[in-house]
Structure formats: structure tokens, C-alpha cells
Amino acid sequence: MASRRNFLKLSALTGALFAVNKSKAAEVIKHHSATSTKPIVLSTWRFGLEANKGAWEILNKGGRALDAVEAGVKITEADPRERSVGLGGRPDRDGRVTLDACIMDENMNIGSVACLEHIVHPISVARAVMEKTPHVMLVGDGALQFALSNGFKKEKLLTPESEAEWKEWLKKSEYKPQANIENHDTIGMIAMDTSGNLSGACTTSGLAFKMHGRVGDSPIIGAGLYVDNEVGAATATGHGEEVVRIAGCHTVIELMRQGLSPEEACKKAVERIIYATKRRNKSLNELQIGFLAINKKGEHGSFCLQKGFNYAVHSPEINNQLMDAKSLM
Ligand code: ASP
């Protein structure tokens, strides 16, 4: 958890970063960016390692990036040990597990579901919204009814472990977002296939013990995920309210379109979060945001607000490795 001392350090560092000579900053960042040949898959957090394996099976056989990202994040969704995504995800403050997910392909097709209950694979429902409806987003009961009518099974997502944690939480019922504390996370996955096409998927149970009906950035195209096949793909994790506030992943893509490297673009987006937080006279103390991006050349990079965000990369050169994102503190 970030301490007050860290926060002061962050403020000083942010000032210094803004003051630093532009070309020098670009040089340092370039030094840390990585380039890989196709195909490649990147995903957020340690659980991305398992998810990447599923995606890689498809990419390595010449499959489509869209199929790879869906298959990849489904691994995390189905794993009850991962308590911030899909089955076994932590519930809201009413004890209901509500899931958010979205998907985007190389042709600007998008699909999304939010506040969806009882379905283990919200990412596949999002894909069905994309492929079978004239709409881009379904929420709540409408999303559930749509899923059921398309053959998805109704299941209990609240595991005994998540239920016990929720009951413990109820004793105090304190809602306190915390940075890098394992009560929320998202699997965001972006991939480029052998044809050079990009796609992305993003899925989460959102912030633990959120208000019922709360939706974060993860199912919002442009916030938790964005893909432009001519430019690149980006995904986000962390406090969704802050990512939505700056249209995070769309910002990253537009910065890459202007020529910034993926890492530079992610860093600038983090700086936008700092700007928005300061404008509102709010504290950065407990916030964590991580952005992850790839461009059309296969260069990839990441940046987060506070130290602690990592991501998994699988490509012909990088054999499914976890990498630490650079941070402003
Ligand atoms: N972005 C997610 C949300 O706000 C949570 C996370 O990635 O930690 O719902």
C-alpha cells in the first residue's frame, strides 16, 4: 500500500518528470521498450502467464488474434482461484458477483457486457453481442437474458472463499480502495496474429465490495480496451473510475498514432490520470493504474502509477515472461 511518504515522493518525482528535457526522456524510454516479431500476446498481471498459454496455442498455429484473446482470458475467467475475474470473483457489497467484459477486433467490431451475473464467461457473451446483435453493449438482466437465450449456462459464481471474505468485510462494511492490494484486478489481453492483425479482450469482476450496479473501465471500449488495426492496441487495469475519466486506452492509441512508443504513450496516459486527480483535489495515495500497449510494428510497453504492476509477454523471442512495468514511483 502506498504510504504518505511515497505520495510525497511521487509528487516530487512527477514534477521532475514534467520538467525533464523532452528528448532525453524519450531516449530513456526507448532504451526500455521491446520489439517482437509476430505473433505476440500480452496480458496484465501474473495470471496473464496462464492466459497467454491458451492464446499462444491459437496464435502459434496461425490463428486469428480475436480467437486467441477470447480463448486466453477464458482461462482466467474459469479459474476459481483468481478472485478478481469470472468464477470466484469477489462480490459486490450485496454479495452478488457481477462481471464486466469487452472485446474488439481488427475491423472496429466491438462487443461488451456489464454487471452480468451467473455466467462464467462474460468475454464470450461480449463476443456474441458483437457478432449477433446490432448493439455494442448489454447490461444487467438484459445481458443475462441474452446469454441464456444463446446457450450460456446459469451458474453460481460466488465460491465459499469469496463468500467468506465478503462476510468478513460486512462486519465493518468499509469501502476503501487500495493500491496493489489483491482485492481487484483485471485480465486485459492484446494480441497480434501472424497476419499482423490486432485484437483485444478485457474481463473482470471489478472492485471488490463495490456498490451493486457499479461498472468500471473494463467493459468500456476506449477506457479499458481499444484497438485500431492501423495503430496498435491497448488495455488497462486498476481503478476503473480514473481510467474512464481520461478515456484511457483510446488516449494511449491516439498518442501512439502521433508517434509515441507504446511505453511513452502509456506513461503520458498515467500523467493524464495524475492531472485529472490533481484537478479534482483528490489524493493519488491509494490509486493504481496500469496501461499496456503494442503498436503495429510489434513494439510493446507498459507504464503504471505506482510500482507493482506487471504483465506477461509471449512471442517468438520472449517465452511467456512476466515483466515489471515502469512506474512514476
Ligand atoms: N479496472 C477494474 C475495475 O475498475 C479493476 C482492476 O483492474 O483492478 O473494475
Side-chain angles (χ1 to χ4, degrees):
M1 193 173 80
S3 65
R4 165 118 185 105
R5 189 167 53 82
N6 277 342
F7 173 60
L8 293 173
K9 216 167 75 188
L10 174 66
S11 309
L13 186 60
T14 310
L17 275 167
F18 284 133
V20 95
N21 170 303
K22 256 194 183 164
S23 60
K24 181 125 188 255
E27 212 179 274
V28 173
I29 285 162
K30 213 168 159 196
H31 180 70
H32 286 91
S33 293
T35 309
S36 287
T37 51
K38 301 174 288 210
I40 176 168
V41 57
L42 303 113
S43 52
T44 55
W45 303 110
R46 176 170 288 279
F47 49 44
L49 289 170
E50 275 310 300
N52 277 2
K53 288 184 196 165
W56 188 252
E57 270 184 38
I58 293 175
L59 291 171
N60 204 30
K61 285 187 210 138
R64 190 176 169 203
L66 180 71
D67 295 327
V69 293
E70 181 190 5
V73 302
K74 279 176 78 173
I75 290 172
T76 323
E77 286 182 338
D79 189 341
R81 293 165 307 173
E82 301 305 352
R83 313 272 292 284
S84 53
V85 179
L87 176 67
R90 291 184 182 85
D92 64 19
R93 55 185 70 176
D94 299 340
R96 296 162 74 163
V97 180
T98 66
L99 304 177
D100 298 338
C102 73
I103 193 157
M104 184 162 190
D105 76 4
E106 73 275 22
N107 296 318
M108 309 298 281
N109 290 307
I110 55 175
S112 161
V113 289
C115 207
L116 173 63
E117 293 181 76
H118 309 301
I119 304 291
V120 174
H121 291 302
I123 198 65
S124 299
V125 186
R127 183 165 178 177
V129 170
M130 174 171 96
E131 291 175 343
K132 297 183 179 172
T133 80
H135 307 304
V136 297
M137 186 171 199
L138 292 177
V139 305
D141 193 50
L144 176 61
Q145 293 316 320
F146 169 75
L148 297 177
S149 66
N150 277 276
F152 289 87
K153 271 205 329 226
K154 189 167 179 175
E155 299 192 43
K156 185 176 178 196
L157 301 183
L158 188 64
T159 55
E161 291 77 15
S162 286
E163 187 169 7
E165 231 184 81
W166 167 62
K167 288 196 170 144
E168 193 55 39
W169 177 83
L170 277 180
K171 290 181 188 163
K172 283 193 183 159
S173 299
E174 254 182 343
Y175 184 66
K176 274 193 186 164
Q178 292 182 313
N180 294 326
I181 295 290
E182 295 282 309
N183 63 4
H184 59 87
D185 274 339
T186 295
I187 177 117
M189 178 180 276
I190 47 181
M192 185 190 279
D193 58 31
T194 45
S195 310
N197 285 325
L198 294 160
S199 287
C202 189
T203 174
T204 188
S205 51
L207 299 183
F209 320 130
K210 59 196 175 184
M211 291 172 72
H212 181 65
R214 179 265 184 190
V215 171
D217 60 317
S218 307
I220 310 286
I221 294 290
L225 179 75
Y226 203 70
V227 177
D228 183 324
N229 208 44
E230 292 191 351
V231 178
T235 190
T237 182
H239 291 99
E241 283 74 5
E242 308 319 311
V243 179
V244 171
R245 205 180 306 283
I246 65 146
C249 286
H250 187 261
T251 296
V252 172
I253 298 294
E254 292 310 309
L255 288 165
M256 290 198 292
R257 194 192 304 280
Q258 289 167 26
L260 268 63
S261 73
E263 186 178 292
E264 287 170 315
C266 291
K267 178 168 174 258
K268 278 259 179 280
V270 170
E271 288 171 358
R272 292 288 303 166
I273 301 249
I274 293 172
Y275 162 80
T277 309
K278 287 186 174 168
R279 280 293 295 239
R280 297 169 57 246
N281 288 323
K282 301 283 184 195
S283 166
L284 288 164
N285 246 359
E286 305 300 347
L287 287 184
Q288 173 63 308
I289 312 288
F291 288 105
L292 175 61
I294 181 169
N295 68 16
K296 211 43 194 174
K297 289 186 265 179
E299 293 167 345
H300 46 92
S302 178
F303 216 89
C304 59
L305 179 60
Q306 306 203 32
K307 200 163 177 279
F309 170 51
N310 48 31
Y311 60 101
V313 186
H314 204 327
S315 74
E317 296 86 15
I318 304 168
N319 188 17
N320 209 18
Q321 274 176 26
L322 203 61
M323 303 201 174
D324 283 328
K326 283 202 270 175
S327 63
L328 286 185
M329 56 188 301

